[in-house]
Amino acid sequence: MGTIIGLAVLTAIDWYLVRKTGLHIHQLIAKKYAEYLDGKENRK
């Protein structure tokens, strides 16, 4: 039962992010990680 609730929560979060940012969770994480790496390179 907890698995179903967890999936429902993740689906709701993904739906909210798609509406606000136009990106799914994995796309948003990849974008933020790329920005982090760019910032890290620029500081050197």
Side-chain angles (χ1 to χ4, degrees), residues 14-43:
D14 189 53
W15 175 77
Y16 175 78
L17 284 174
V18 169
R19 288 194 57 180
K20 291 292 180 185
T21 66
L23 299 173
H24 289 279
I25 292 173
H26 65 278
Q27 293 169 326
L28 184 67
I29 291 170
K31 180 181 175 186
K32 294 290 183 184
Y33 185 64
E35 289 174 0
Y36 165 76
L37 289 179
D38 286 344
K40 195 173 179 182
E41 281 183 8
N42 291 338
R43 280 186 247 146

